[in-house]
Amino acid sequence: MAGPCAVEKLEITIGIAREVKEGGGCILRGGAYKPRTSPYSFQGLGREGLDFLVEAKKQTGLPIVSEILDPRDTDVFLEKADIIQIGARNMQNFELLKEVGAYDKPVLLKRGLSATIKEFLLSAEYIMSRGNRNVMLCERGIRTFETHYRNTLDISAVPALKELSHLPVIVDPSHASGKWNLVAPLSKAAIAAGADGLLIEVHSNPECALCDGEESIKPSRFKELITDLKKIAEAVGREL
Ligand code: PEP
Ligand code: MN
């Protein structure tokens, strides 16, 4: 799964979607509603952003994953998104979890900033106990004492979650590191450790991205990475 942190202009979204597909990605990510730390940062295009993703899907065939922030937007997400993302900051927003649990739309649940494995799995239970069993778990780095990178990728979470649950485990090396140059090595480690998928921020012009440009890789690097990941997968007896 790859694409921009935030959906920006329509042409940029379509351009990135084409490059993601060309590079070997199979799902387009893009935030339309952004949970920003500062209220003065770009908050996303909202509904218009979802429409841009739908257009990019029409042109590339790539399904869409996008983050929901407010249960009042459920209808629009059910209509326009293929996978609903619950972000790290909402991992314990129990009303939101129950809401997405009431439908069968696949959910990508991200681990909370300081959530334990047990808390993470119990949040997945909130969704599944409402009937929606289409849940993917996403390890996206946790808060530690280390400040050199944005978060610390908890690679142990991959085998641990796979042992404790039957759910697919996705790794997000972009938010885990906050640094574009760490995305490739962390992705390789994730595949070697057994991750079922990756969520990677890709932008055609990271320097000008409205959100998280510093952790976004360019499409050419994404393509290279996918080629390398195939070799890693093969080396550990897996397929990509
Ligand atoms: C994102 O994937 O766009 C995002 C905001 O990530 P997280 O919830 O992991 O911080
Ligand atoms: Mn981001």
Side-chain angles (χ1 to χ4, degrees):
M1 305 178 201
C5 176
V7 178
E8 300 172 8
K9 291 187 164 44
L10 177 62
E11 312 76 62
I12 298 179
T13 311
I14 293 172
I16 297 174
R18 286 191 198 288
E19 304 217 66
V20 163
K21 184 166 186 186
E22 228 269 298
C26 47
I27 296 170
L28 176 65
R29 70 143 287 149
Y33 298 86
K34 294 304 304 173
R36 304 304 300 276
T37 301
S38 165
Y40 307 113
S41 300
F42 177 56
Q43 303 285 309
L45 297 179
R47 199 174 281 234
E48 189 184 30
L50 286 176
D51 288 337
F52 290 176
L53 289 170
V54 170
E55 187 54 37
K57 174 184 173 177
K58 251 189 223 155
Q59 300 205 18
T60 60
L62 291 177
I64 299 161
V65 55
S66 197
E67 177 172 355
I68 190 170
L69 294 181
D70 187 331
R72 290 171 294 189
D73 293 325
T74 306
D75 285 349
V76 70
F77 273 83
L78 288 173
E79 184 195 331
K80 297 178 196 279
D82 298 285
I83 303 172
I84 300 179
Q85 178 173 322
I86 302 278
R89 289 154 193 82
N90 276 318
M91 190 205 80
Q92 286 189 316
N93 181 338
F94 301 119
E95 291 311 310
L96 190 58
L97 299 178
K98 286 192 266 180
E99 176 69 14
V100 298
Y103 307 90
D104 59 4
K105 181 75 78 177
V107 175
L108 179 73
L109 176 65
K110 299 191 93 176
R111 183 178 182 182
L113 281 72
S114 303
T116 64
I117 295 289
K118 189 171 181 184
E119 288 162 344
F120 190 16
L121 288 171
L122 284 170
S123 288
E125 290 288 332
Y126 260 95
I127 301 169
M128 292 188 293
S129 62
R130 276 288 170 122
N132 188 352
R133 305 186 72 82
N134 301 317
V135 178
M136 290 170 268
L137 302 170
C138 181
E139 160 60 35
R140 45 77 75 203
I142 49 173
R143 281 251 165 110
T144 69
F145 56 80
E146 185 55 74
T147 54
H148 182 64
Y149 8 80
R150 186 171 177 181
N151 293 291
T152 300
L153 178 62
D154 180 11
I155 200 78
S156 310
V158 177
L161 290 168
K162 291 200 67 79
E163 193 180 296
L164 291 166
S165 83
H166 65 287
L167 300 172
V169 176
I170 310 297
V171 166
D172 173 350
S174 310
H175 294 91
S177 64
K179 292 176 186 268
W180 70 265
N181 54 329
L182 294 190
V183 168
L186 295 186
S187 300
K188 292 175 191 170
I191 293 299
D196 298 294
L198 296 163
L199 180 73
I200 299 177
E201 287 186 340
V202 172
H203 199 287
S204 43
N205 190 1
E207 296 81 9
C208 299
L210 294 180
C211 187
D212 287 353
E214 62 289 351
E215 64 190 40
S216 301
I217 57 171
K218 291 187 177 160
S220 55
R221 284 190 192 277
F222 175 70
K223 193 173 178 180
E224 251 173 57
L225 175 58
I226 296 291
T227 308
D228 289 348
L229 290 174
K230 286 188 176 149
K231 293 182 215 151
I232 303 272
E234 203 179 312
V236 295
R238 315 183 58 213
E239 243 180 70
L240 198 74

